[in-house]
């Protein structure tokens, strides 16, 4: 499991879990969903722009 697998699993968990917590805390559903969506979008942005996915460098070809 790498960082990107973890982010993909946490996106729906954060969206649904935070929406439930915020709704239980007394916020309206129409307020809780955008707030939780902002956290999910922040995780996506972090995965795309802060810890950018890069390809592994190719091994040099040794010619004999």
């Amino acid at each position: 499991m790498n960082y990107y697998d973890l982010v993909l699993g946490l996106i729906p968990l954060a969206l649904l879990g935070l929406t439930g917590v915020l709704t239980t805390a007394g916020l309206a559903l129409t307020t809780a969903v955008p707030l939780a969506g902002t956290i999910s979008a922040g995780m996506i942005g972090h995965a795309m722009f802060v810890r950018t996915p890069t390809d592994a460098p190719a091994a040099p070809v040794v010619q004999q």
Side-chain angles (χ1 to χ4, degrees), residues 6-28:
L6 183 63
V7 168
L8 285 174
L10 285 177
I11 291 168
L13 183 66
L15 184 59
L16 297 174
L18 286 175
T19 298
V21 168
L22 292 173
T23 303
T24 304
L27 269 71

Side-chain angles (χ1 to χ4, degrees), residues 2-62:
N2 61 20
Y3 173 74
Y4 301 102
D5 294 333
L6 183 63
V7 168
L8 285 174
L10 285 177
I11 291 168
L13 183 66
L15 184 59
L16 297 174
L18 286 175
T19 298
V21 168
L22 292 173
T23 303
T24 304
L27 269 71
L29 187 62
T30 56
T31 304
V33 171
L35 288 176
T38 302
I39 300 300
S40 295
M43 291 185 339
I44 294 168
H46 187 273
M48 289 176 61
F49 300 113
V50 177
R51 287 196 56 179
T52 59
T54 58
D55 293 331
V61 176
V62 179

